[in-house]
Amino acid sequence: MKDVDTGTITTKVPARLDRLPWSRWHWMIVIGLGTVWILDGLEVTIVGNLSAQLAKPGSGLDISQAQVAGTAAALYVAGACLGALFFGWLTDRFGRKKLFLVTLVVYLVATLMTAFSFDAWWFFLFRFMTGFGIGGEYAAINSAIDELIPSRHRGRIDIIINGSYWLGAAGGALLTVPLLNDLPVNIGWRVAFGLGVVLGVAILLVRRHVPESPRWLFIHGRGQEAEQLVGEIEEHVGGDLPDPRGSVTIHQRRSIGFVQIAHTMVARYPKRTILGLSLFIGQAFLYNAITFGYAQILSTFYKIDTHTGYYFAVIAIGNFLGPLLLGRLFDTVGRVPMISATYIGSGVLLLGTAWLFDQGVLNAVTLTACWCAVLFVASAGASSAYLTVSEIFPMETRAMAIAFFFAIGTAAGGIAGPLVFAGLVETGVPGDTALAFTIGAVIMIAAGIVELFLGVKAEQKGLEEIAAPLTATSVDTAA
């Protein structure tokens, strides 16, 4: 569809949102939108820790552990990549709110159907569809969060929210222990997926109250509605608010052509595009060198198949503590030094872990401790990849940019990773598994080096200052 011109307006909506103090209203946004990462963590962890159980006789599925950790994981990620692209395009076109409701419903239905799997093909199909919904969530949610959170808090909040994936991972890991040990082999894994549905319904009830992004509204010809919505938010927050600093003049359009979006990313911001791809590919390979094959490694090398949840819960907590404790530094020390340090640092730590594993000096406990250290650093870096691509491109392309980098980067590391790494672990040769670790580490370090040269200093800056909207005729950040 061609661009539709609807007029020109000057607005202070971005400045009004950025100058708001932190309030209960912002917590509602965090809970309603950010908790989707808990669902994603729950999903991936449950499947990873159930892989040995699903492969047992009597589980109700004729499937191998390598198929669960490899094929099913790759299909889940493939679905997430395609879902991100499809729903990302719709999010920029039809708004944030419509899509973050639709994508959650897709996730709920697909997860429920997974619980009723009766054959491997059914399991594979709905793992793909679950990923399809989750991928759409990433595009819709990240764009909405960044457009609603004040600029001085955006880095920390975004990184912590993305890091909350690991709260779901820890919960999923611990839940699988009683489900595997106290319930029949053909029932426990079905109940695990059902719990994801229950949590998703609870999130949906909260999410109904999250508003549309005012930034999206005024760009798409609904300026009066945007002004009214921000007025309601200010009234809800209350207090003596300072005068907003800055305004933006927008040439409104109801839609932005896909060709213009592609031109923006490739021709207008080529260095930022290279940066986004590097960060996403790096974190995808590192995490897929570890996460998807975790239970398989414990089962193959240490003969642990029913209590893997305890081990995974430990590294999941380490993963969440990283963004929680390091997140504020991305707003104070700065994006470039923190992103490069977390990428390079985690890669170096994983190289050390690979060497120790190959030497045969690690057991299940000490390997878990090594991973906990690696992922404490890596988790903050991985979360910053989503933060980076959601704030360094213009408003009109934000959701699509998130979707594009997530899809390309995750396809490279998230589809190839599980297939290659599951095969390496399955051999039972420590050197092969160490090779999987090394691949993830080297690519992560390379991404950190790219950040050093191409990183954008976006800390405590308004989104319009970092990247002016395509439809802007002027941006005044000091008025």
Side-chain angles (χ1 to χ4, degrees):
M1 180 182 290
K2 295 182 179 179
D3 297 346
V4 179
D5 187 357
T6 62
T8 301
I9 65 166
T10 298
T11 180
K12 291 190 175 183
V13 161
R16 290 168 67 187
L17 289 170
D18 281 341
R19 62 80 147 95
L20 292 174
W22 191 260
S23 67
R24 290 178 60 187
W25 183 84
H26 292 104
W27 280 117
M28 184 267 291
I29 299 299
V30 169
I31 295 171
L33 299 182
T35 42
V36 66
W37 279 266
I38 296 178
L39 284 179
D40 192 14
L42 189 72
E43 279 293 319
V44 173
T45 308
I46 282 177
V47 174
N49 284 284
L50 291 175
S51 60
Q53 193 81 347
L54 284 164
K56 288 182 177 180
S59 70
L61 290 180
D62 183 15
I63 195 170
S64 69
Q65 186 173 9
Q67 284 179 309
V68 177
T71 306
L75 285 170
Y76 176 85
V77 175
C81 293
L82 292 175
L85 290 171
F86 177 69
F87 289 119
W89 174 68
L90 293 179
T91 297
D92 278 335
R93 186 178 182 84
F94 296 111
R96 301 350 184 180
K97 182 164 186 174
K98 286 187 179 74
L99 272 298
F100 64 59
L101 292 175
V102 170
T103 53
L104 184 55
V105 170
V106 171
Y107 160 82
L108 290 172
V109 172
T111 301
L112 182 63
M113 291 298 101
T114 304
F116 289 100
S117 295
F118 57 88
D119 198 45
W121 70 266
W122 181 279
F123 183 80
F124 292 151
L125 172 63
F126 284 102
R127 288 307 295 158
F128 174 86
M129 290 307 301
T130 302
F132 194 72
I134 286 292
E137 287 275 292
Y138 276 101
I141 301 308
N142 264 311
S143 52
I145 287 173
D146 280 2
E147 290 165 12
L148 292 169
I149 297 298
S151 57
R152 63 188 176 281
H153 300 297
R154 187 177 61 244
R156 176 178 59 180
I157 296 301
D158 202 309
I159 285 173
I160 291 175
I161 285 175
N162 279 280
S164 68
Y165 169 99
W166 294 101
L167 287 179
L174 293 175
L175 281 172
T176 58
V177 174
L179 293 178
L180 292 179
N181 291 279
D182 299 336
L183 293 177
V185 68
N186 66 329
I187 298 295
W189 65 270
R190 300 182 190 275
V191 174
F193 285 110
L195 292 173
V197 176
V198 173
L199 179 58
V201 170
I203 294 172
L204 184 62
L205 294 175
V206 177
R207 190 172 288 184
R208 293 179 306 159
H209 303 292
V210 176
E212 180 57 85
S213 164
R215 283 178 158 101
W216 185 90
L217 288 172
F218 73 70
I219 280 181
H220 288 79
R222 297 162 64 179
Q224 186 175 356
E225 188 177 343
E227 298 286 346
Q228 181 179 349
L229 176 56
V230 174
E232 292 172 357
I233 295 170
E234 290 170 335
E235 184 177 349
H236 184 87
V237 171
D240 186 16
L241 299 175
D243 292 333
R245 298 182 58 202
S247 63
V248 58
T249 300
I250 293 292
H251 197 60
Q252 295 175 304
R253 296 175 185 177
R254 294 197 185 278
S255 64
I256 305 296
F258 187 78
V259 172
Q260 186 174 359
I261 293 174
H263 179 270
T264 299
M265 297 174 65
V266 176
R268 186 171 178 177
Y269 293 110
K271 292 181 180 179
R272 296 185 181 190
T273 298
I274 293 172
L275 173 65
L277 286 173
S278 300
L279 295 180
F280 266 90
I281 292 173
Q283 62 89 24
F285 264 98
L286 181 138
Y287 272 92
N288 285 290
I290 295 175
T291 305
F292 282 120
Y294 180 78
Q296 188 183 7
I297 290 170
L298 292 178
S299 175
T300 301
F301 294 99
Y302 305 114
K303 309 305 177 186
I304 298 170
D305 60 1
T306 59
H307 291 83
T308 58
Y310 289 129
Y311 295 91
F312 200 93
V314 172
I315 65 170
I317 292 171
N319 265 286
F320 180 64
L321 289 177
L324 184 66
L325 298 178
L326 300 177
R328 66 181 183 85
L329 299 178
F330 288 79
D331 282 326
T332 54
V333 175
R335 302 285 200 264
V336 176
M338 287 304 301
I339 294 174
S340 58
T342 51
Y343 268 72
I344 295 172
S346 59
V348 170
L349 289 172
L350 185 54
L351 284 177
T353 301
W355 182 81
L356 292 172
F357 185 84
D358 188 42
Q359 296 300 306
V361 299
L362 299 176
N363 56 32
V365 173
T366 53
L367 178 61
T368 301
C370 288
W371 281 343
C372 193
V374 171
L375 298 178
F376 173 86
V377 180
S379 183
S383 296
S384 70
Y386 293 91
L387 168 66
T388 298
V389 300
S390 67
E391 64 183 4
I392 64 174
F393 291 96
M395 158 74 206
E396 300 91 334
T397 68
R398 182 161 294 120
M400 196 62 202
I402 297 168
F404 172 78
F405 291 110
F406 172 82
I408 301 300
T410 305
I415 297 177
L419 293 173
V420 173
F421 298 150
L424 289 172
V425 173
E426 194 175 28
T427 66
V429 178
D432 290 345
T433 299
L435 176 60
F437 296 167
T438 302
I439 292 171
V442 170
I443 297 176
M444 192 74 167
I445 291 172
I449 294 173
V450 172
E451 171 68 27
L452 280 174
F453 289 95
L454 301 182
V456 178
K457 296 179 180 180
E459 56 272 11
Q460 301 197 33
K461 293 182 179 179
L463 294 172
E464 292 72 23
E465 183 180 357
I466 300 168
L470 298 179
T471 50
T473 60
S474 68
V475 176
D476 179 8
T477 61

